[in-house]
């Protein structure tokens, strides 16, 4: 693999390290080390919140869900046997919890149509001028996309969820997820090409 | 747009890769072999590389911004999780909790990879307290009879609290009440002790009955919704059943039945008073009680000491529905709705004709 493929962040290596460390944190949690849990919360709550928001459409519910997942992890750590993929466990627990909540809520009120959340993209505030220009252009390009397409794309591109994870979380087909991501990316590439 | 760099310009090849392929590459939709060949092409095509670089650098910005946007939520989650853990006595004691000197939970931290008991024993007081309005639950740990140390939840007058017990059962504690939960509550033992009034929604667990001791009466259930009342000022224990079956001493009650157990242990069964569970909604219903009896409930409800000033008043019957509120509201009700005269000295209210 060429250097270029990894950009400046040497992704694959970082991820392997990450996984190993998560595992160590999980062992710490099994030994009732609350600092290990806090660290895991700091690492993963962001993506879990995004995922829970995308499913439930509610930032408040998302907080409750994510917090419940971590508390359950703490309570059940001794009986859990998570080998290798703590993040995967956390994500699927988040997703299940969010779906359970949705089912529960749908009994009370029919769920809003097109239930995925309004993952508003925040207008970026950036430190370097060059980055600012690019990010702003991409921000504007994303605004032009249909909401659902944008949300799926952001879950993947920004929040690092895999295609099957998104499909599973939002209960849509794999091809749909791929199509939406591809569509958004083609749009971005087109916009960037135009401006250079 | 590197026109400044002549050397670069010479080797620059415009758009070696078409948009479609480049987008697929960026979206991670290519096979490793395809990606590798794209990466080789990128080395030769600065225009294409620029797009790739821009997308990546923008991603960093979006990730950073996304974190900023969610930072408050993330902190909330962290706070909640940490405070939950702190409320478990197997960790450092939180400041509102007095740790018992001798506790099974004081055993040294378990070493890596060794045994660890089921969580119910490790964290016996995982009780999330939900408190509504200005109400508060005072939690303290005290020694109790028997080997296990108990966790005690108490409400002061005028305050109610809602608790979840580690087995999934739910308790709504009425004003001026006290619930003792033993340290080994959970998998093998579900016995609590109540002074005051509480509604229990018991999680079903066929092997472990849930029992409430109040006064000298024990009420046992497997899974149901029922209420037990025994304030110190009550001469009898009353048990009201809303759902399921409950056994009181040797008498079995079903839904909408009540049992009154006198201090001598006699059990009588009556139809349940429909207002019996009203306190859950913050309503106290008094139906035609002598004022002397009613003031006991009212004093807990409004956190006031109530005296009857006129001798003839004690036997006068009163009734009504009272919502939780301040002492001033109580005075208002006594004066305007019930037509009494009230003289207030601090928390002491004296009622006259």
């Amino acid at each position: 693999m060429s250097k270029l493929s990894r950009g400046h962040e040497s992704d694959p290596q970082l991820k392997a390290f990450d996984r190993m460390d998560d595992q160590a944190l999980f062992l710490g949690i099994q030994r009732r080390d609350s600092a290990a849990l806090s660290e895991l919360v700091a690492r993963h709550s962001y993506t879990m919140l995004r995922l829970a928001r995308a499913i439930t459409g509610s930032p408040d519910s998302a907080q409750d869900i994510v917090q419940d997942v971590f508390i359950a992890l703490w309570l059940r750590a001794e009986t859990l046997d998570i080998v290798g993929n703590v993040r995967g466990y956390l994500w699927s627990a988040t997703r299940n919890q969010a779906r359970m909540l949705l089912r529960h809520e749908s009994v009370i009120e029919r769920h809003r149509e097109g239930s995925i959340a309004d993952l508003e993209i925040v207008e970026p505030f950036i430190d370097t001028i060059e980055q600012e220009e690019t990010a702003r252009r991409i921000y504007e390009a994303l605004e032009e996309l249909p909401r659902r397409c944008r949300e799926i794309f952001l879950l993947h591109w920004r929040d690092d969820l895999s295609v099957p994870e998104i499909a599973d979380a939002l209960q849509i087909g794999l091809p749909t997820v791929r199509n939406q991501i591809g569509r958004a990316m083609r749009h971005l590439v087109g916009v960037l090409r135009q401006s250079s | 747009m590197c026109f400044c760099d002549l050397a670069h310009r010479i080797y620059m090849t415009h758009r070696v890769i078409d948009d479609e392929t480049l987008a697929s590459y960026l979206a991670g939709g290519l096979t490793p072999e395809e990606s590798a060949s794209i990466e080789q092409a990128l080395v030769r095509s600065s225009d294409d590389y620029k797009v790739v670089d821009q997308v990546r650098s923008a991603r960093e910005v979006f990730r950073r911004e996304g974190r900023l946007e969610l930072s408050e939520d993330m902190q909330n989650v962290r706070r909640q999780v940490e405070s939950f853990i702190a409320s478990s006595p197997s960790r450092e004691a939180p400041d509102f909790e007095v740790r018992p000197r001798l506790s099974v939970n004081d055993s040294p931290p378990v070493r890596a990879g060794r045994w660890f008991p089921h969580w119910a024993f490790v964290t016996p007081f995982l009780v999330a307290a939900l408190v509504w309005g200005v109400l508060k639950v005072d939690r303290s740990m005290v020694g109790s009879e028997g080997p296990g140390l108990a966790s005690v939840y108490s409400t002061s007058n005028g305050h109610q609290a809602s608790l979840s017990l580690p087995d999934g059962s739910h308790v709504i504690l009425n004003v001026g009440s006290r619930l003792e939960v033993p340290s080994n509550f959970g998998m093998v033992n579900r016995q609590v002790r109540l002074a005051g009034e509480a509604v229990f929604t018991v999680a079903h667990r066929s092997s472990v009955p849930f029992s409430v001791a109040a006064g000298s009466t024990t009420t046992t259930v497997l899974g149901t919704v029922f209420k037990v009342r025994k304030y110190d000022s009550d001469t009898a224990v009353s048990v009201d059943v809303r759902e399921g079956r409950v056994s009181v001493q040797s008498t079995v009650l079903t839904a909408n039945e009540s049992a009154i157990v006198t201090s001598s242990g006699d059990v009588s069964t009556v139809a349940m008073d429909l207002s019996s569970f009203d306190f859950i909604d913050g309503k106290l219903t008094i139906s035609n009680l002598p004022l002397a009896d009613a003031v006991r409930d009212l004093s807990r409800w409004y956190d006031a000491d109530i005296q009857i000033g006129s001798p003839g008043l004690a036997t006068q019957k009163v009734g009504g529905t009272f919502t939780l509120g301040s002492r001033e509201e109580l005075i208002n009700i006594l004066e305007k709705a019930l037509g009494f005269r009230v003289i207030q000295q601090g928390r002491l209210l004296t009622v006259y004709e």
Side-chain angles (χ1 to χ4, degrees), chain A residues 92-122:
Chain A
S92 61
T94 305
R95 185 192 57 217
N96 294 340
Q97 193 79 7
R99 283 214 208 118
M100 219 151 73
L101 186 98
L102 268 196
R103 265 202 299 279
H104 179 70
E105 277 182 349
S106 65
V107 177
I108 302 159
E109 52 162 319
R110 279 216 93 48
H111 203 265
R112 299 176 295 282
E113 207 238 318
S115 77
I116 62 174
D118 204 14
L119 300 173
E120 333 90 88
I121 32 176
V122 184

Side-chain angles (χ1 to χ4, degrees), chain B residues 227 240 256-258 270-278 285 287:
Chain B
K227 184 184 92 168
D240 301 319
N256 298 319
E257 286 186 324
S258 292
V270 292
M272 190 179 85
D273 180 355
L274 291 175
S275 65
S276 176
F277 287 84
D278 281 1
T285 305
S287 36

